[in-house]
Amino acid sequence: MARSRAAYEYTEAEDKSMRLGFLLIAAGLLSLLGLGCCWLRPALQERGGGGSANCTVLAVRQLGERFACTFSCGAACRGTARYPCLQVLVLTSRSSAPALLHEDERQLRTNPKCSYIPPCARDDQENSENVTYKQKYWKEKVGSQPFTCYFNQHLRPDDVMLKRTHDETVLLHCFLWPLVTFLVGVLIVVLTICAKSLAVRAEAIKKKKH
């Protein structure tokens, strides 16, 4: 019995390999749990009850109201500027009521009253010019051409998005890399145990022959 126990004692290299495997397994499981609770579940809730539709521009206008944004001009240099509010109203193929278009979910949460937030510049005039350029784009280049937009009837029935922040590719990577980490850890543990078992059996056969 003592000889059998001694034979199955892991070397220092095998012990490190086992620890690495268990560490990867734990990291994969914790990543899946963390991403599922903190990121994946809200993303799926945003996608739940939503879908895509064809949108057509109904009206493009600038409101008189201006909103504040924060610009950075260096490591310890920050300031506040203002930009005009651009609204792009669209009609969707799923509803006869007009909806307000937004760039994505992030922009919608930042400023739900406007359709576009320009990159914040120090000069208010530059911010106004960026918004005016975007206004001309929607009026002249897009015009009455239909385009794909996304909606969520449960969360924001009066708003549509030009693109999704959480698309299928991001959701796939959210599952893929923690799963790969977990499987690599399992593989390392299994291979280490198998290699040790084969080594013990080979040693036993060698002793029997002698």
Side-chain angles (χ1 to χ4, degrees), residues 4 8 27 33 41 48 57 68 71 79 104 126 132 134 155 159 167 171 176-177 191 195:
S4 177
Y8 273 95
L33 289 173
R41 186 171 62 181
V57 175
F71 65 85
D104 51 28
E126 185 176 346
T132 301
K134 185 63 73 170
L155 295 180
D159 299 280
D167 58 11
L171 295 179
L176 179 63
W177 297 116
L191 288 178

Side-chain angles (χ1 to χ4, degrees), residues 103-145:
E103 292 281 323
D104 51 28
E105 289 97 342
R106 209 172 280 140
Q107 184 267 311
L108 171 60
R109 289 193 295 267
T110 303
N111 189 342
K113 292 187 68 174
C114 305
S115 297
Y116 173 68
I117 299 177
C120 194
R122 191 169 190 170
D123 185 13
D124 290 357
Q125 181 61 31
E126 185 176 346
N127 291 326
S128 297
E129 290 174 358
N130 287 334
V131 172
T132 301
Y133 174 81
K134 185 63 73 170
Q135 182 179 8
K136 288 182 179 179
Y137 168 81
W138 284 107
K139 274 188 175 180
E140 300 173 5
K141 291 190 176 181
V142 178
S144 59
Q145 297 178 13

Side-chain angles (χ1 to χ4, degrees), residues 56-67:
T56 307
V57 175
L58 180 64
V60 184
R61 65 192 183 192
Q62 282 194 34
L63 301 182
E65 188 176 1
R66 286 177 170 261
F67 291 87

